């Protein structure tokens, strides 16, 4: 078994963007996410935002390549995990109206088989939480789909599948001294405009992403089912899902999107980095930023050696590294990585 894994270390120059405006200071002025390093505050773009947009790209790639997905996953519904497993239970056995200990793990396996998003993105099916509180069992928007297609919840415990990929925060390389503010709505009164304003920032950001490709298509609970293989899909389908996830990650770096996609597209003035693919271990990476807490005023700095550090790991045997200095070079790497995976 090859331990296919891939890592990305990259720098993005983002001008006039609001990719992760989520907070406020009490004035209704939307503020970018921030990271405190020592006593200095830097701008950040959360890993969850990046992850969300990688999954959006992943859904698009899967749809274009007819890779299997369940309907709520294709819509990136927040409860796609638990509802998808219930749908898989009913699909496995139309008479199985209840999800219980007898069919839970075969249903989880079936959900992985039927849905690349649940497979690569992971889920937490917290059954007991879903049943508690004032709205116990009350999925209003999805009730018709659930009643037609899903088993009811019996006496089962929560189950979890870890995602096959993880994403680090993007962090700016310099503290932000200037604020560029853009009004997101206009009122003909200066006093009210501040209620509809949000900050836009410009900076160079460093980030890392890693995906354990060999986990794609595997059943985390195979050992609880007699005679089951760990791989829940065919090797050919596994390869398609692996390439689709790589393409989704590359698509995000090539065209970064954020929490708001209605007029907040950044002016991207830098795209560079390195991609490391290995068949032997979890992919290592070198961060494009370095943190030195002894430097009180500038604890975060760019590390210009990161791409060279990754390149030195290339051995052309079980580890390959590609550098890219612009979007064109980045996009060209998809076919080269695919060739290695299919090699």
């Amino acid at each position: 078994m090859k331990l296919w894994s891939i890592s990305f270390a990259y720098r993005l120059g983002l001008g006039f963007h609001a990719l992760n405006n989520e907070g406020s200071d009490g004035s209704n002025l939307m503020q970018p996410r921030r990271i405190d390093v020592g006593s200095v505050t830097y701008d950040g773009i959360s890993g969850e935002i990046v992850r969300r947009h990688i999954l959006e790209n992943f859904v698009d790639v899967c749809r274009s390549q007819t890779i299997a997905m369940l309907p709520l996953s294709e819509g990136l519904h927040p409860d796609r995990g638990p509802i998808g497993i219930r749908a898989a239970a009913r699909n496995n056995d139309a008479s199985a109206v209840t999800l219980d200990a007898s069919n839970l793990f075969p249903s989880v396996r079936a959900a992985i088989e039927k849905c690349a998003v649940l497979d690569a993105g992971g889920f937490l099916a917290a059954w007991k939480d879903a049943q508690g509180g004032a709205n116990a069992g009350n999925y209003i928007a999805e009730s018709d789909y659930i009643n037609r297609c899903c088993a009811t919840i019996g006496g089962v415990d929560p189950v979890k599948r870890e995602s096959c990929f993880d994403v680090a925060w993007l962090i700016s390389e310099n503290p932000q001294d200037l604020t560029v503010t853009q009004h997101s709505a206009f009122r003909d009164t200066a006093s009210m405009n501040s209620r509809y304003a949000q900050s836009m920032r410009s900076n160079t950001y460093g980030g890392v992403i890693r995906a354990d490709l060999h986990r794609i298509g595997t059943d985390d609970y195979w050992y609880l089912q007699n005679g089951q293989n760990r791989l829940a899909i065919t090797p050919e389908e596994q390869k398609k899902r692996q390439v689709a996830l790589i393409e989704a990650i590359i698509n995000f770096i090539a065209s970064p999107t954020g929490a708001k996609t209605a007029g907040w597209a950044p002016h991207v003035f830098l795209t560079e980095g390195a991609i490391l693919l290995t068949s032997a271990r979890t992919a290592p990476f070198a961060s494009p930023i370095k943190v030195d807490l002894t430097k009180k005023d500038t604890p975060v700095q760019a590390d210009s050696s990161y791409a060279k550090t990754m390149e030195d790991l290339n051995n052309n045997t079980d580890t390959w590294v590609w550098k890219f200095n612009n979007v064109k070079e980045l996009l060209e790497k998809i076919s080269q990585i695919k060739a290695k995976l299919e090699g």
Side-chain angles (χ1 to χ4, degrees):
M1 172 185 169
K2 291 187 175 180
L3 298 177
W4 287 110
S5 183
I6 192 168
S7 63
F8 299 76
Y10 60 104
R11 296 172 74 226
L12 290 176
L14 305 176
F16 310 110
H17 75 93
L19 293 193
N20 201 176
N21 277 10
E22 290 186 340
S24 74
D25 58 2
S27 65
N28 286 328
L29 177 68
M30 294 298 292
Q31 299 282 5
R33 293 293 295 270
R34 300 169 185 175
I35 304 171
D36 289 335
V37 183
S39 59
V40 182
T41 299
Y42 291 81
D43 280 350
I45 300 170
S46 79
E48 280 303 313
I49 291 295
V50 176
R51 176 183 166 76
R52 161 77 191 193
H53 285 276
I54 288 174
L55 283 176
E56 285 192 2
N57 287 329
F58 185 64
V59 166
D60 289 340
V61 175
C62 288
R63 186 184 298 126
S64 70
Q65 299 181 9
T66 61
I67 295 174
M69 292 180 288
L70 288 168
L72 269 67
S73 294
E74 189 169 348
L76 289 175
H77 189 284
D79 287 332
R80 58 186 178 271
I83 296 177
I85 293 169
R86 292 169 64 186
R90 179 69 72 85
N91 190 267
N92 267 0
D93 180 0
S95 63
V97 295
T98 301
L99 189 67
D100 55 30
S102 68
N103 62 359
L104 174 61
F105 292 112
S107 301
V108 172
R109 183 183 186 89
I112 295 295
E113 294 174 9
K114 298 176 186 303
C115 184
V117 178
L118 297 186
D119 178 13
F123 55 78
L124 172 62
W127 311 110
K128 291 181 179 176
D129 288 346
Q131 295 178 85
N135 298 318
N138 191 15
Y139 290 93
I140 296 173
E142 307 85 357
S143 59
D144 178 63
Y145 174 83
I146 291 172
N147 292 336
R148 284 186 295 106
C149 305
C150 302
T152 59
I153 300 171
V156 293
D157 292 323
V159 294
K160 182 180 182 182
R161 174 173 175 77
E162 296 288 359
S163 171
C164 294
F165 70 101
D166 53 342
V167 181
W169 279 63
L170 284 157
I171 183 170
S172 61
E173 295 176 354
N174 296 286
Q176 188 61 257
D177 294 325
L178 299 175
T179 296
V180 179
T181 300
Q182 172 171 332
H183 295 279
S184 57
F186 177 74
R187 286 280 184 102
D188 192 21
T189 55
S191 62
M192 295 190 69
N193 274 344
S194 63
R195 299 183 184 181
Y196 303 97
Q198 73 177 56
S199 296
M200 305 190 75
R201 299 299 178 100
S202 298
N203 217 314
T204 299
Y205 294 78
V208 294
I209 300 170
R210 177 171 52 207
D212 282 337
L213 303 173
H214 62 270
R215 288 195 56 236
I216 290 178
T218 59
D219 178 5
D220 290 345
Y221 302 100
W222 92 99
Y223 55 89
L224 297 173
Q225 305 160 75
N226 291 332
Q228 283 288 13
N229 293 324
R230 190 164 191 163
L231 185 62
I233 58 178
T234 66
E236 292 75 20
E237 180 68 15
Q238 183 188 40
K239 199 74 66 182
K240 287 179 65 177
R241 293 185 184 186
Q242 290 171 336
V243 174
L245 179 58
I246 292 167
E247 193 167 347
I249 294 171
I250 287 178
N251 287 350
F252 169 80
I253 298 173
S255 185
T257 45
K260 301 176 187 298
T261 53
W264 313 116
H267 297 256
V268 182
F269 57 84
L270 173 68
T271 303
E272 68 164 38
I275 306 170
L276 185 149
L277 177 72
T278 176
S279 62
R281 60 186 58 81
T282 297
F285 56 76
S287 174
I289 59 123
K290 55 185 177 184
V291 177
D292 184 349
L293 296 178
T294 65
K295 297 184 177 179
K296 299 297 183 183
D297 296 330
T298 56
V300 174
Q301 296 179 339
D303 186 348
S304 60
S305 65
Y306 77 101
K308 177 67 165 55
T309 301
M310 291 181 69
E311 197 172 40
D312 288 344
L313 295 171
N314 186 7
N315 61 17
N316 278 321
T317 301
D318 58 26
T319 303
W320 303 269
V321 178
W322 298 270
K323 292 172 62 177
F324 56 92
N325 295 299
N326 52 54
V327 171
K328 181 176 184 295
E329 291 180 6
L330 170 62
L331 295 176
E332 290 172 348
K333 302 302 180 286
I334 295 174
S335 59
Q336 298 174 40
I337 296 168
K338 183 179 179 181
K340 291 295 181 188
L341 284 171
E342 294 177 344

